[in-house]
Amino acid sequence: RLLRSEIEHYRGRGEEHARLLTCQASMQLAGILADEEPAASLDEITGLLETAYFYLAAFAVERPDGTAFLLSSARSVLHHLELHGISDERLTRLAAAVRDLDGRLPEHPHSAAIRTADEIQACMHEHRDVPRAAGLARTLLASDAAAEDTQEGAQLRAKARKFLIEALAVQHDMNE
């Protein structure tokens, strides 16, 4: 509810901070909805990600490094929906546009780490490749992005530890 209010308050305003807040809040709300009820909220999730995408496309010209960092959130939500088999034509077009924009941006350490986290999730989905997931989690935990003394670094470390523990537990169960 708070994120929706923030989006409505800042949407359409031209100031850079207002555009950035609208973009971030849109991606954050899309991520929450994708976790909670993705199929029921597909139109809203897609609309939020489209809003974020248009802001990101505009930011890409001004600040490509920062855009690469922000785009990783949108890419992660799209990846989550894909893993759960949730898609439609609009979402497919949006995913293609996000991939295209991502391919034109410089590599950012945090976006590379998010890409690794997405790959771990794909490996763990239905236990497709648990040993690879464990190795990737170790790599993520040892990465420069996870070592940063920032909120993002702390989140990456927590996510990497969670992935590693989950992968090792599944490996243990599979070996018994």
Side-chain angles (χ1 to χ4, degrees), residues 20-123:
L20 183 59
L21 287 170
T22 302
C23 177
Q24 289 174 322
S26 295
M27 288 187 298
Q28 191 174 6
L29 182 56
I32 291 168
L33 293 172
D35 282 342
E36 290 178 356
E37 49 185 279
S41 305
L42 185 58
D43 282 340
E44 184 176 9
I45 292 168
T46 305
L48 289 163
L49 290 175
E50 286 171 340
T51 297
Y53 172 79
F54 290 116
Y55 284 112
L56 290 168
F59 287 138
V61 175
E62 304 162 14
R63 295 200 172 93
D65 287 337
T67 303
F69 173 79
L70 290 170
L71 190 64
S72 64
S73 296
R75 197 179 59 241
S76 191
V77 172
L78 289 165
H79 180 74
H80 176 79
L81 292 171
E82 181 185 324
L83 279 178
H84 293 285
I86 297 168
S87 185
D88 68 1
E89 186 178 324
R90 222 171 111 205
L91 195 62
T92 301
R93 284 193 311 266
L94 178 62
V98 166
R99 278 191 305 277
D100 177 65
L101 180 58
D102 189 38
R104 292 183 282 128
L105 294 172
E107 186 67 21
H108 186 280
H110 184 78
S111 59
I114 294 297
R115 196 174 286 114
T116 300
D118 288 346
E119 189 175 348
I120 294 168
Q121 286 180 320
C123 289

